[in-house]
Amino acid sequence: MRILLLLHSFNSLAQRLYVELARDGHELSVELDINDETTCEAVRLFRPQLVLAPFLKRAIPSAVWRRHRCLIVHPGPVGDRGPAALDWAILRSEPHWGVTVLQATDVLDGGPVWASAQFPMRRARKGSLYRLEVTEATVLAVREALARVARGERPLPAPAPLPALRPAPTAQERSIDWNHDDSETVLRKIHSADGYPGVQDSIQEHRFRLYDARADGALRGPPGTLLARSGEAICRATRDSAVWIGTLAPLDETLGTFKRPATLALGSGGLGALVDSLPEKEPSEPEIDYHECNGIGYLSFELYNGAMSSRQCRRLQAAYRRARERPTRVLVLTGGSDFWCNGMHLHCIEAADSAADASWENINAIDDLAQEILGTEDRFTMAVLRGNAAAGGVFLALAADRVLARSGVVLNPHYRNMGNLYGSEFWTYLLPRRLTGEAAGALMRSRLPLGTEEACALGLIDAHAGPEPDVLETLVLREAAALGEPATFAARLALKRERRAREETERPLQSYRESELEHMRLNFYGFDPSYHIARYRFVHRTPHAWTPLYLAAHRRTIRAEAMPTSVPGAAATAARTRALCS
Ligand code: COA
């Protein structure tokens, strides 16, 4: 089918659908929802058989849904209506939730139902539920809806009477009463707004939005007081115990209203002395965990939004070194449950006095970590991608000897979307080890997401399993046991060392690093400000003004109109474009 994806942004859910539907053989193009006129133009150009809207913040123009079949993905069960479905599900502690694929009509979230899928709710942040349960249910429901459309079936009528549309919770409805709310209630409120819009709160008269909360069973204090810090998180007492808050966004425009690690946000808000006065509670690196099982070491790192700051890189490198002191044969790097890693922490960089210096420090810190992994010669390493990875995060994973992923994880193994960033993390060494020169070049030029099946077929990763996390776990246990198999371990390790030594002779790792960093230095300090502009727009969530051509297949031919006719093929392309537009 020729399907136009109409989106507020090309987010993780849309990327996953893009990957799955392309794999199913559909012809896809993407249009970002800029305004009604642009949407109508996109439909005119692409002439889709179906418009699919998995993530929209506005209604589809009637001129479009009246003439074309438009399917909307609503992140709620059949009959649920409103723009904050998942927020309410968390606030109301719903035991089950779902996803519905509806046909767009003049009744918001009230059209006939093409398909739906259910899932049990998990006590987790909204973004986490969205990236795992909602995404998996959406893939199932959209596939079923498309199959029904293809078979010429009709949708089920909307439930009658139609339940009322539930508006988004107000800031007041989510506000925390530290004197009366218990930890469970506080967590529910913060989780329900995590990602967007965040719960508004005050710390010593300074206004912030709160994100990234987790419970603490041990600490107690007068409700509302700050009790401790750990890493960059702060702990605040509730009525019955305490919660940790890892991320804050100042509500003060002069400080920039974007998210950053809590202690950094407090510091930039003039509360540095308060942070310094808080007792440091162990562990001082709450995002990192190490444990062993059957002689295999597991190092996990839960990075909020997958962003890895310079400090986190250094803490992880220290934890990695400690793990290497343990007598294990295999060290498994399991990342976090929501993300593996999305590379440098662009928000911390944006908050720094010099974004160029902070970028330079961050990329060097990630490179140090990657180099540490690459230099591990006394055991095998394995990267396990339980969540999505992008840019430098993907290449950090490739530094391991073996790379596994949960099926359904979306990879963006390229840097160009961030203002044509060249990238480092030894990608110029790691990519040709796994892909042929041509495939490696194509991958780096591409700006599109990659599914795990495609990544495996390319040789970018070694295996994938799932999408259920426990299915991946079984594969990891099996593969780790095989890597650490005592009978063959020494011989296989010798081969690994030989290969590294041979490659080091051909070209030292340091040389790859220096040449990549030379490009990065230009990106950070050079004449062309593209990276700084792209990062600013990304961090400040600047609305899109157009759909990039790598997504909008239907707009790619338009350019040919402007080509001189002496360019071979231009006249034919322009004629085709005119035919399409007419
Ligand atoms: N640094 C800081 N924050 C990051 C981040 C990074 N490297 N990567 C993602 N995030 C944050 C986003 O700001 C967003 O924050 P929010 O909670 O306020 O909405 C959140 O993670 C989710 O990202 P978003 O882009 O909305 O959706 P997604 O899940 O679809 O992510 C990505 C898709 C990863 C492709 C996209 O976020 C991205 O391109 N990230 C930057 C990658 C990069 O260029 N890294 C630096 C070079 S090494």
Side-chain angles (χ1 to χ4, degrees):
M1 237 184 268
R2 200 162 59 250
I3 301 174
L4 180 70
L5 291 169
L6 182 61
L7 307 165
H8 173 74
S9 75
F10 195 44
N11 72 352
S12 56
L13 173 68
Q15 294 188 12
R16 173 72 188 282
L17 275 177
Y18 186 94
V19 161
E20 298 282 342
L21 299 184
R23 190 184 300 149
D24 290 349
H26 297 291
E27 186 189 340
L28 303 174
S29 191
V30 175
E31 183 72 22
L32 299 180
D33 179 27
I34 311 293
N35 56 43
D36 288 0
E37 202 181 311
T38 318
T39 300
C40 292
E41 183 187 61
V43 170
R44 214 167 50 242
L45 290 173
F46 192 54
R47 296 192 172 173
Q49 288 160 291
L50 189 131
V51 176
L52 181 62
F55 175 44
L56 265 192
K57 292 197 172 178
R58 302 179 327 127
I60 297 179
S62 62
V64 172
W65 64 255
R66 283 188 198 283
R67 281 189 219 124
H68 300 266
R69 186 181 279 139
C70 296
L71 303 191
I72 313 267
V73 175
H74 175 73
V78 175
D80 180 79
R81 299 176 64 212
L86 204 48
D87 306 41
W88 281 115
I90 296 168
L91 281 172
R92 296 158 77 108
S93 301
E94 298 283 357
H96 293 90
W97 204 238
V99 165
T100 308
V101 180
L102 309 142
Q103 182 148 343
T105 62
D106 54 352
V107 186
L108 209 65
D109 295 338
V113 175
W114 279 97
S116 64
Q118 285 73 42
F119 54 84
M121 281 288 273
R122 182 165 52 94
R123 197 178 139 201
R125 297 197 289 255
K126 179 171 66 171
S128 180
L129 288 162
Y130 187 78
R131 290 189 186 93
L132 190 61
E133 283 86 347
V134 171
T135 300
E136 293 303 331
T138 299
V139 171
L140 286 178
V142 165
R143 275 218 172 94
E144 188 192 329
L146 295 185
R148 295 189 60 198
V149 170
R151 290 195 297 266
E153 293 175 19
R154 299 183 65 78
L156 297 170
L162 200 59
L165 193 110
R166 205 160 34 191
T170 60
Q172 188 56 35
E173 278 170 310
R174 275 198 259 236
S175 75
I176 297 171
D177 180 344
W178 292 99
N179 284 317
H180 295 101
D181 286 348
D182 58 12
S183 289
E184 189 62 38
T185 308
V186 172
L187 284 178
R188 222 173 26 242
K189 288 178 176 175
I190 300 179
H191 284 345
S192 78
D194 210 304
Y196 178 84
V199 165
Q200 298 185 24
D201 196 33
S202 300
I203 297 174
Q204 287 198 351
E205 315 302 320
H206 293 251
R207 301 284 293 157
F208 293 96
R209 292 181 197 270
L210 317 182
Y211 307 89
D212 184 17
R214 63 193 159 83
D216 185 289
L219 291 176
R220 295 274 188 288
T225 50
L226 292 183
L227 301 174
R229 65 192 163 107
S230 163
E232 275 108 46
I234 50 164
C235 185
R236 194 164 190 183
T238 61
R239 192 194 74 203
D240 61 338
S241 53
V243 294
W244 287 96
I245 296 157
T247 301
L248 296 175
L251 274 162
D252 178 348
E253 291 285 345
T254 59
L255 301 173
T257 54
F258 56 90
K259 297 172 186 173
R260 59 204 85 164
T263 54
L264 181 64
L266 290 171
S268 45
L271 294 173
L274 170 70
V275 171
D276 292 341
S277 72
L278 295 173
E280 176 102 30
K281 181 168 182 283
E282 292 297 323
S284 55
E285 45 200 32
E287 73 278 25
I288 300 172
D289 178 65
Y290 177 76
H291 71 274
E292 284 171 23
C293 186
N294 297 330
I296 293 162
Y298 294 88
L299 186 61
S300 67
F301 39 100
E302 287 283 352
L303 305 169
Y304 184 67
N305 281 340
M308 197 186 262
S309 69
S310 304
R311 287 169 79 170
Q312 285 167 324
C313 291
R314 285 195 289 271
R315 286 205 292 264
L316 189 53
Q317 191 179 356
Y320 185 88
R321 284 191 178 152
R322 287 196 298 277
R324 280 191 63 187
E325 284 162 15
R326 300 287 308 155
T328 56
R329 282 195 286 268
V330 183
L331 180 50
V332 183
L333 305 171
T334 64
S337 46
D338 284 358
F339 288 99
W340 158 263
C341 176
N342 284 333
M344 297 189 296
H345 200 312
L346 299 169
H347 291 225
C348 286
I349 290 170
E350 191 64 29
D353 290 338
S354 161
D357 289 351
S359 305
W360 184 252
E361 186 189 353
N362 205 157
I363 197 64
N364 273 287
I366 298 194
D367 279 0
D368 288 344
L369 175 60
Q371 201 155 359
E372 187 87 31
I373 300 170
L374 284 167
T376 305
E377 298 201 329
D378 59 345
R379 70 200 70 201
F380 286 104
T381 53
M382 188 195 284
V384 179
L385 280 62
R386 295 182 284 162
N388 296 350
V394 177
F395 297 102
L396 184 67
L398 300 194
D401 299 316
R402 209 156 162 77
V403 183
L404 271 50
R406 181 177 64 77
S407 306
V409 154
V410 173
L411 306 175
N412 278 281
H414 41 76
Y415 299 88
R416 290 182 68 201
N417 283 345
M418 197 50 66
N420 273 326
L421 202 62
Y422 183 80
S424 190
E425 292 96 2
F426 298 91
W427 74 264
T428 52
Y429 165 69
L430 292 165
L431 211 51
R433 280 181 118 207
R434 288 181 165 266
L435 270 61
T436 63
E438 205 175 309
L443 192 71
M444 289 309 277
R445 277 193 304 278
S446 150
R447 296 177 172 218
L448 290 170
L450 204 61
T452 45
E453 262 184 46
E454 291 73 18
C456 232
L458 266 178
L460 188 72
I461 64 171
D462 298 299
H464 65 109
E468 303 77 13
D470 52 329
V471 178
L472 174 66
E473 214 170 292
T474 309
L475 176 71
V476 172
L477 288 177
R478 202 173 61 228
E479 293 243 351
L483 274 180
E485 171 61 44
T488 53
F489 178 73
R492 282 182 297 104
L493 198 65
L495 285 178
K496 166 176 160 170
R497 282 200 197 111
E498 271 168 35
R499 180 181 181 190
R500 181 79 277 286
R502 195 176 57 247
E503 288 172 346
E504 186 67 17
T505 317
E506 285 162 13
R507 184 176 169 192
L509 273 183
Q510 191 59 26
S511 149
Y512 288 97
R513 178 172 175 160
E514 281 165 11
S515 122
E516 289 169 5
L517 287 179
E518 229 168 88
H519 287 92
M520 290 295 256
R521 190 187 284 281
L522 280 179
N523 288 140
F524 301 155
Y525 296 100
F527 182 67
D528 177 359
S530 301
Y531 155 72
H532 294 292
I533 293 170
R535 189 199 60 248
Y536 178 90
R537 294 176 62 89
F538 176 81
V539 169
H540 291 269
R541 308 311 253 172
T542 310
H544 301 282
W546 66 87
T547 307
L549 286 185
Y550 73 90
L551 294 176
H554 53 285
R555 295 190 181 279
R556 288 204 278 266
T557 49
I558 297 266
R559 273 197 164 172
E561 293 264 76
M563 283 183 193
T565 42
S566 58
V567 174
T573 316
R576 196 174 140 250
T577 308
R578 271 192 294 277
L580 271 176
C581 296
S582 63

